[in-house]
Amino acid sequence: MSDPDARRVLVLNGPNLGRLGRRQPEIYGTTTHDELVTLCERWGAERGLAVEVRQTNHEGVMVDWLNAAADEQVPVVLNAAAWTHYSYAVYDACAQLEAPLVEVHLSDPETRPEPWRHHSVVRPHALEVVKGHGVEGYRMALDVLAATLRT
Ligand code: DQA
Protein backbone atom coordinates (compact mmCIF):
# COMPACT_ATOMS: atom_id res chain seq x y z
CA MET A 1 0.00 0.00 0.00
CA SER A 2 1.37 3.42 -0.87
CA ASP A 3 1.69 5.96 1.94
CA PRO A 4 -0.74 8.86 1.23
CA ASP A 5 1.41 11.22 3.36
CA ALA A 6 4.69 10.36 1.61
CA ARG A 7 6.59 13.41 0.32
CA ARG A 8 7.29 13.24 -3.39
CA VAL A 9 10.97 13.09 -4.40
CA LEU A 10 12.50 12.84 -7.87
CA VAL A 11 15.68 10.86 -8.56
CA LEU A 12 16.94 12.08 -11.93
CA ASN A 13 19.69 10.26 -13.81
CA GLY A 14 21.49 11.64 -16.83
CA PRO A 15 23.19 10.20 -19.92
CA ASN A 16 24.44 6.64 -20.13
CA LEU A 17 23.12 5.74 -16.67
CA GLY A 18 20.41 3.65 -18.35
CA ARG A 19 23.20 1.18 -19.14
CA LEU A 20 24.15 0.67 -15.50
CA GLY A 21 25.27 -2.87 -14.84
CA ARG A 22 26.69 -3.19 -18.36
CA ARG A 23 28.57 0.10 -18.60
CA GLN A 24 32.13 -0.07 -17.19
CA PRO A 25 31.06 -2.24 -14.23
CA GLU A 26 34.54 -1.90 -12.75
CA ILE A 27 33.70 1.79 -12.20
CA TYR A 28 29.92 1.89 -11.87
CA GLY A 29 29.14 -1.57 -10.44
CA THR A 30 26.87 -4.37 -11.60
CA THR A 31 23.48 -3.09 -10.41
CA THR A 32 21.24 -2.33 -13.39
CA HIS A 33 19.17 0.84 -13.72
CA ASP A 34 15.97 -1.19 -13.26
CA GLU A 35 17.39 -2.59 -10.02
CA LEU A 36 18.39 0.91 -8.93
CA VAL A 37 14.80 2.06 -9.51
CA THR A 38 13.47 -0.73 -7.27
CA LEU A 39 16.07 0.04 -4.58
CA CYS A 40 15.35 3.79 -4.61
CA GLU A 41 11.60 3.23 -4.40
CA ARG A 42 12.10 0.88 -1.43
CA TRP A 43 14.60 3.16 0.32
CA GLY A 44 12.21 6.05 -0.20
CA ALA A 45 9.18 4.18 1.15
CA GLU A 46 11.21 3.25 4.26
CA ARG A 47 11.82 6.97 4.80
CA GLY A 48 8.28 8.18 4.08
CA LEU A 49 9.23 9.42 0.60
CA ALA A 50 7.39 8.65 -2.63
CA VAL A 51 10.39 8.31 -4.93
CA GLU A 52 10.10 8.48 -8.70
CA VAL A 53 13.26 7.56 -10.63
CA ARG A 54 13.82 8.75 -14.20
CA GLN A 55 16.71 8.49 -16.64
CA THR A 56 17.32 10.36 -19.89
CA ASN A 57 20.06 10.71 -22.47
CA HIS A 58 18.54 14.02 -23.68
CA GLU A 59 19.65 17.24 -22.04
CA GLY A 60 16.46 19.17 -22.87
CA VAL A 61 14.36 16.46 -21.23
CA MET A 62 16.46 16.76 -18.07
CA VAL A 63 16.07 20.56 -18.13
CA ASP A 64 12.28 20.16 -18.52
CA TRP A 65 12.19 17.78 -15.53
CA LEU A 66 14.23 20.21 -13.42
CA ASN A 67 11.99 23.12 -14.45
CA ALA A 68 8.91 21.12 -13.43
CA ALA A 69 10.59 20.21 -10.13
CA ALA A 70 11.19 23.94 -9.55
CA ASP A 71 7.55 24.78 -10.33
CA GLU A 72 6.26 21.99 -8.11
CA GLN A 73 8.88 22.48 -5.34
CA VAL A 74 9.83 18.82 -5.47
CA PRO A 75 13.13 17.77 -3.80
CA VAL A 76 15.60 16.20 -6.22
CA VAL A 77 18.43 13.68 -6.12
CA LEU A 78 20.44 14.38 -9.26
CA ASN A 79 23.10 12.33 -11.00
CA ALA A 80 23.62 14.51 -14.06
CA ALA A 81 26.41 12.14 -15.22
CA ALA A 82 28.64 13.83 -17.85
CA TRP A 83 26.41 16.95 -17.92
CA THR A 84 27.60 17.55 -14.36
CA HIS A 85 30.87 18.73 -15.76
CA TYR A 86 29.88 21.15 -18.51
CA SER A 87 26.15 21.81 -18.89
CA TYR A 88 25.30 25.43 -18.11
CA ALA A 89 21.69 24.57 -18.96
CA VAL A 90 21.72 22.09 -16.07
CA TYR A 91 23.47 24.74 -13.90
CA ASP A 92 20.72 27.27 -14.66
CA ALA A 93 17.95 24.71 -14.12
CA CYS A 94 19.38 23.68 -10.75
CA ALA A 95 19.76 27.33 -9.72
CA GLN A 96 15.98 27.73 -9.69
CA LEU A 97 15.27 24.84 -7.34
CA GLU A 98 13.90 25.89 -3.97
CA ALA A 99 13.32 22.45 -2.47
CA PRO A 100 16.55 20.66 -1.51
CA LEU A 101 18.83 19.18 -4.17
CA VAL A 102 21.35 16.41 -3.47
CA GLU A 103 24.05 15.67 -6.05
CA VAL A 104 25.01 12.02 -6.35
CA HIS A 105 27.67 10.08 -8.26
CA LEU A 106 28.39 6.38 -8.22
CA SER A 107 32.10 6.98 -8.66
CA ASP A 108 34.09 9.84 -7.17
CA PRO A 109 34.65 12.05 -10.22
CA GLU A 110 37.22 14.19 -8.40
CA THR A 111 39.61 11.29 -7.93
CA ARG A 112 39.30 10.07 -11.53
CA PRO A 113 42.09 10.77 -14.01
CA GLU A 114 40.18 12.99 -16.45
CA PRO A 115 40.59 16.62 -15.29
CA TRP A 116 37.22 17.59 -16.83
CA ARG A 117 35.48 15.37 -14.26
CA HIS A 118 36.82 17.46 -11.39
CA HIS A 119 34.38 20.34 -11.92
CA SER A 120 30.65 20.22 -11.17
CA VAL A 121 27.99 22.69 -12.31
CA VAL A 122 25.53 21.07 -9.88
CA ARG A 123 27.58 21.47 -6.72
CA PRO A 124 26.93 25.23 -6.17
CA HIS A 125 23.22 24.46 -5.86
CA ALA A 126 23.41 21.21 -3.91
CA LEU A 127 22.71 20.83 -0.23
CA GLU A 128 25.14 17.93 -0.23
CA VAL A 129 27.24 15.87 -2.63
CA VAL A 130 27.40 12.07 -2.22
CA LYS A 131 30.06 10.42 -4.36
CA GLY A 132 32.10 7.27 -4.54
CA HIS A 133 29.65 4.97 -2.76
CA GLY A 134 28.11 3.20 -5.78
CA VAL A 135 24.35 2.66 -5.67
CA GLU A 136 24.46 3.01 -1.86
CA GLY A 137 25.06 6.69 -2.55
CA TYR A 138 21.43 7.02 -3.62
CA ARG A 139 20.33 5.62 -0.24
CA MET A 140 22.62 8.13 1.46
CA ALA A 141 21.19 10.96 -0.67
CA LEU A 142 17.63 9.93 0.29
CA ASP A 143 18.76 9.92 3.94
CA VAL A 144 19.94 13.51 3.54
CA LEU A 145 16.60 14.54 2.01
CA ALA A 146 14.55 12.64 4.61
CA ALA A 147 16.47 14.32 7.45
CA THR A 148 16.18 17.76 5.83
CA LEU A 149 12.48 17.45 5.09
CA ARG A 150 11.80 16.37 8.70
CA THR A 151 13.26 19.56 10.15
C1 DQA B 1 29.01 9.77 -12.86
C2 DQA B 1 30.42 10.38 -13.01
C3 DQA B 1 30.52 11.20 -14.28
O1 DQA B 1 31.83 11.74 -14.39
C4 DQA B 1 30.25 10.35 -15.49
O2 DQA B 1 30.26 11.13 -16.65
C5 DQA B 1 29.01 9.55 -15.38
C6 DQA B 1 28.63 8.97 -14.09
C7 DQA B 1 28.93 8.82 -11.65
O3 DQA B 1 27.82 8.51 -11.25
O4 DQA B 1 29.96 8.37 -11.15
O5 DQA B 1 28.34 9.29 -16.38
O6 DQA B 1 28.08 10.82 -12.65
Side-chain angles (χ1 to χ4, degrees), residues 14-83:
N16 303 305
L17 291 172
R19 297 198 72 262
L20 274 184
R22 288 166 292 165
R23 173 194 181 201
Q24 295 180 284
E26 69 285 6
I27 296 175
Y28 299 115
T30 53
T31 304
T32 66
H33 194 269
D34 280 351
E35 290 166 341
L36 178 65
V37 172
T38 303
L39 285 169
C40 287
E41 288 172 352
R42 195 184 79 210
W43 289 329
E46 289 166 358
R47 287 157 181 78
L49 305 173
V51 171
E52 187 186 335
V53 185
R54 301 179 189 163
Q55 189 275 328
T56 183
N57 292 331
H58 305 278
E59 190 177 2
V61 171
M62 178 62 83
V63 169
D64 286 346
W65 287 345
L66 289 167
N67 287 346
D71 285 342
E72 295 161 24
Q73 308 234 346
V74 182
V76 173
V77 172
L78 176 62
N79 186 345
W83 293 326

Side-chain angles (χ1 to χ4, degrees), residues 15 17 23 28 79 81-82 85 104-107 109 112 116-117:
L17 291 172
R23 173 194 181 201
Y28 299 115
N79 186 345
H85 310 302
V104 69
H105 300 284
L106 296 143
S107 66
R112 291 178 60 182
W116 55 268
R117 286 191 207 276

